[in-house]
Amino acid sequence: MTVLRMPLRRIFSAAVLLCLCLTPSALAAPPGTIIWGYQEGLAKAQSPDGAFGYANVRGEVVIPMQYTSVLDFSLGLGQVRLGNKLGVIRQDGKYLLQPEYDSLLHINAGLYIAQKGIKWGVVSLLPFPDGSGGATQILYDFVYDTAELTQIGGVDTLILTENGVRTALPLYQITQLMLDRQIPSARFPLRRGLLPDFSDVGPRDWYDLWVDLAFNLGLMEGVGSGRFAPNDTLTVAEALRLAACMESRQTGDNFHTQPITGPVWYRSSVNYCVASGIIRPGEFSSYTRPVTRAEMARIFAATSLGRSIPVINDLSRVKAAVPDVRSGDYAADAIWSLYAKGILAGTDGRYTFRPNTTITRAEAAAIVSRMARTEQRLNLF
């Protein structure tokens, strides 16, 4: 990973984008509720009668205590057992995998080994075309007698066995398989077990989820000495570096894997963004100053990824809802498009954007994570 490794200025941003977190309705925990400890801003909560749900950092129940058991959230995903069936939810309680499986194991990239009855298959966290005009989450149907992860010749491999016939899938081929099947976010696969351990990011912080995701996806790293510096402001150069790496990943070239060289670390990213049509030559006179939120939206919306994300929120409602962006304002169309695509939610409950203020690394982590991962995008209305 080569993104945002350089030290940043320690400028504290007082603005915490609460709306960047998935925030289901909160209810006071009943007396006798046990809170089990936090991960990515949520904790397992157990009712006096033994049912499980999740609580926020104020100890309020935000995902109802209706489950037989639950696991800690990791990369924004919580595995839950309802009765004797397993499913996966995100942090607002929305099901990503319905609770209909007898066992679930995340392989990598958002694919799970799954069991139904005595048969095994592979399912995707995200729906994809089924070839008949509909959508499915089943990558390998439930016809297999066994499914296991093993190593063959030192290569991690999924083995599916049906009537004694083995099908082998080396895990390094997963991304191409997902691309072939048009599974969303295939260029930005989740990697099982890869979580950071930054001294300045705690499990109760609203941005813990987004730092975990941005790091896991290879989009952002720390600034050195075991720190992420979540409250440092993002510069124009760093925004362009992020845009260049997202562009490279989305288009399938190798720019994002190349080492940073030369006396000016950001020069290659600027040139790449110009060549890709993300910015115009000379559009920015300074790259070391803080980037504004409007400039960030302008840059990110112009990437191939930003342009390709489908609209999930009505654009006319977005334009009417965001109170501080008007037609003719700098980057207005880019800002509105990112709201419409579920990437932005604003800085408060009124969808306020604050276009001329700066943006922190934590806020940037939330935005690029939503761009990269389809399951984290927000339905605003």
Side-chain angles (χ1 to χ4, degrees):
M1 292 178 288
T2 59
V3 194
L4 298 185
R5 191 188 294 267
M6 65 300 300
L8 301 178
R9 288 163 295 119
R10 298 176 175 84
I11 302 176
F12 179 74
S13 169
V16 175
L17 297 191
L18 296 178
C19 289
L20 280 172
C21 297
L22 297 169
T23 51
S25 300
L27 298 173
T33 297
I34 300 173
I35 308 296
W36 287 95
Y38 288 85
Q39 180 72 31
E40 298 183 344
L42 293 181
K44 294 180 291 188
Q46 186 177 15
S47 69
D49 64 3
F52 284 87
Y54 293 91
N56 63 18
V57 295
R58 294 182 296 277
E60 301 164 326
V61 175
V62 291
I63 297 177
M65 292 182 287
Q66 61 183 339
Y67 297 107
T68 310
S69 63
V70 298
L71 298 181
D72 288 328
F73 271 89
S74 180
L75 301 178
L77 308 174
Q79 186 165 299
V80 298
R81 182 181 293 275
L82 186 62
N84 62 351
K85 300 295 182 180
L86 294 170
V88 175
I89 61 174
R90 68 178 194 174
Q91 289 202 333
D92 59 355
K94 175 184 177 181
Y95 279 110
L96 298 171
L97 289 174
Q98 292 292 326
E100 57 188 48
Y101 304 100
D102 293 298
S103 65
L104 279 175
L105 173 65
H106 186 208
I107 307 168
N108 248 344
L111 299 181
Y112 288 75
I113 294 175
Q115 181 186 15
K116 281 188 173 183
I118 63 171
K119 293 298 184 179
W120 297 80
V122 176
V123 296
S124 167
L125 195 67
L126 295 166
F128 57 94
D130 63 2
S132 301
T136 184
Q137 289 180 268
I138 300 174
L139 185 65
Y140 288 91
D141 209 349
F142 290 87
V143 297
Y144 296 95
D145 303 311
T146 62
E148 61 177 332
L149 284 176
T150 187
Q151 283 201 339
I152 298 178
V155 175
D156 290 332
T157 305
L158 169 66
I159 302 293
L160 300 168
T161 305
E162 179 186 8
N163 297 325
V165 178
R166 304 204 318 167
T167 299
L169 174 64
L171 294 194
Y172 67 80
Q173 295 181 357
I174 279 182
T175 296
Q176 188 57 54
L177 173 66
M178 295 174 72
L179 289 170
D180 292 343
R181 297 298 300 273
Q182 301 179 52
I183 297 178
S185 298
R187 293 286 188 189
F188 300 89
L190 300 173
R191 290 172 287 180
R192 184 165 55 96
L194 180 59
L195 293 174
D197 183 21
F198 295 118
S199 62
D200 53 356
V201 178
R204 289 173 172 261
D205 292 327
W206 71 264
Y207 45 78
D208 184 32
L209 161 62
W210 308 115
V211 172
D212 281 358
L213 274 170
F215 179 87
N216 182 275
L217 296 168
L219 292 172
M220 298 181 75
E221 292 188 339
V223 299
S225 302
R227 298 174 56 252
F228 184 78
N231 295 312
D232 282 9
T233 52
L234 202 71
T235 66
V236 174
E238 291 155 359
L240 292 175
R241 179 65 184 172
L242 274 170
C245 289
M246 287 191 291
E247 181 75 10
S248 175
R249 293 272 293 275
Q250 179 70 8
T251 57
D253 69 31
N254 65 355
F255 174 81
H256 63 283
T257 66
Q258 297 173 8
I260 296 174
T261 59
V264 181
W265 69 264
Y266 54 80
R267 181 57 56 194
S268 61
S269 295
V270 172
N271 292 340
Y272 187 87
C273 286
V274 170
S276 301
I278 296 170
I279 62 171
R280 301 182 302 275
E283 182 170 347
F284 295 96
S285 59
S286 173
Y287 298 103
T288 56
R289 67 167 174 80
V291 71
T292 69
R293 290 168 54 77
E295 289 168 337
M296 174 276 303
R298 148 83 184 94
I299 292 166
F300 288 176
T303 62
S304 295
L305 175 61
R307 296 194 306 271
S308 67
I309 296 170
V311 169
I312 59 174
N313 300 299
D314 182 78
L315 184 58
S316 62
R317 294 188 66 183
V318 165
K319 291 181 178 181
V322 181
D324 56 349
V325 178
R326 294 287 181 265
S327 181
D329 289 352
Y330 172 79
D333 288 338
I335 294 165
W336 287 329
S337 76
L338 293 181
Y339 274 89
K341 294 174 179 183
I343 308 303
L344 298 178
T347 62
D348 56 29
R350 298 177 57 244
Y351 306 113
T352 305
F353 183 64
R354 298 167 45 242
N356 297 318
T357 59
T358 58
I359 187 168
T360 66
R361 281 170 52 84
E363 294 164 355
I367 291 168
V368 297
S369 295
R370 283 233 178 87
M371 291 185 69
R373 292 301 309 174
T374 300
E375 74 275 5
Q376 296 298 339
R377 296 171 193 162
L378 289 177
N379 295 98
L380 299 180
F381 309 116

